[in-house]
């Protein structure tokens, strides 16, 4: 069961396993729907796939976009744990490149976010990051008009503003 959503809302606080808004192409239409974050695991002992490495893979169908304005990584542990917020330096919103999968008998319609090597701004905090699609490239991701290797790559240095949260 899916629910149509408006374009307004806070998409930066989603947690794995929870429903979240995604944008996808269905035939000639673009739709904003709420899908479960996490693809069905291969075996019952495994966890749902929330992130998928994009390198060496092709995604000729079932592409989606996850709207965002920021993302977070933590460094350290315990009392020395520090949370870092990343947003585009120009203040623009963006999308994470994702893939979605139809519902099965025992799993709802769901999606996962694609990951890439971290760009120079993110690399000091984490070696990988979610694949960021700029707003001007959103239709190229959904319509397959630009080769995916051109879209699924780190943004240039200086693209992200990094802020210490705590």
């Amino acid at each position: 069961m899916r629910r149509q959503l408006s374009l307004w809302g806070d998409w930066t606080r989603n947690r794995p396993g929870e429903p979240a808004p995604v944008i996808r192409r269905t035939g000639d239409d673009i739709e904003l729907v709420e899908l479960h974050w996490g693809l069905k695991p291969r075996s019952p002992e495994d966890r749902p796939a929330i992130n998928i490495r994009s390198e060496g893979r092709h995604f000729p169908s079932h592409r989606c976009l996850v709207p965002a304005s920021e993302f977070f990584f933590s460094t350290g542990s315990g009392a020395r744990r520090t949370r870092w917020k990343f947003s585009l330096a120009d203040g623009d919103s963006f999308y994470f490149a994702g893939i979605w999968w139809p519902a099965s008998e025992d799993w709802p319609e769901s999606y996962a976010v694609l990951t890439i090597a971290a760009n120079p701004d993110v690399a000091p905090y984490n070696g990988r990051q979610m694949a960021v699609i700029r707003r001007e490239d959103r239709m190229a991701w959904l319509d397959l008009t630009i080769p995916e290797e051109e879209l699924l790559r780190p943004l240039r240095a200086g693209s992200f503003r990094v802020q210490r949260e705590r």
Side-chain angles (χ1 to χ4, degrees):
M1 178 173 164
R2 64 183 180 191
R3 184 172 63 124
Q4 293 294 121
L5 301 175
S6 74
L7 286 174
W8 306 106
D10 181 3
W11 297 307
T12 61
R13 306 288 181 199
N14 297 331
R15 298 188 187 283
E18 295 179 354
V22 300
I23 299 166
R24 66 183 179 184
R25 176 169 288 293
T26 56
D28 292 335
D29 294 326
I30 302 293
E31 65 179 0
L32 177 67
V33 295
E34 190 171 69
L35 300 181
H36 179 86
W37 185 9
L39 300 178
K40 182 180 178 179
R42 293 178 192 249
S43 71
E45 303 84 43
D46 293 337
R47 293 168 56 175
I50 59 170
N51 296 321
I52 296 177
R53 288 179 85 97
S54 65
E55 293 90 351
R57 295 185 171 155
H58 295 286
F59 307 98
S61 66
H62 293 91
R63 291 183 181 188
C64 66
L65 296 164
V66 182
S69 58
E70 56 196 20
F71 60 94
F72 301 89
F73 284 116
S74 293
T75 57
S77 61
R80 295 182 182 261
R81 186 175 183 93
T82 303
R83 184 171 144 128
W84 302 93
K85 178 172 81 170
F86 299 84
S87 55
L88 288 177
D90 62 9
D92 202 2
S93 59
F94 55 90
Y95 303 91
F96 296 128
I99 58 169
W100 67 275
W101 211 246
S104 66
E105 210 174 273
D106 60 345
W107 200 261
E109 244 182 340
S110 55
Y111 77 96
V113 174
L114 301 179
T115 65
I116 57 173
N119 95 322
D121 306 323
V122 177
Y125 308 93
N126 201 320
R128 296 197 60 76
Q129 69 171 78
M130 289 68 67
V132 170
I133 304 289
R134 304 275 324 215
R135 288 190 322 142
E136 60 268 19
D137 293 325
R138 65 187 179 267
M139 293 311 296
W141 175 250
L142 293 176
D143 292 341
L144 314 168
T145 56
I146 295 176
E148 54 197 28
E149 60 271 5
E150 291 183 33
L151 295 170
L152 299 177
R153 63 181 180 186
L155 299 179
R156 63 175 172 58
S159 294
F160 292 107
R161 176 181 30 217
V162 182
Q163 294 175 291
R164 182 184 179 142
E165 286 263 300
R166 55 180 153 106

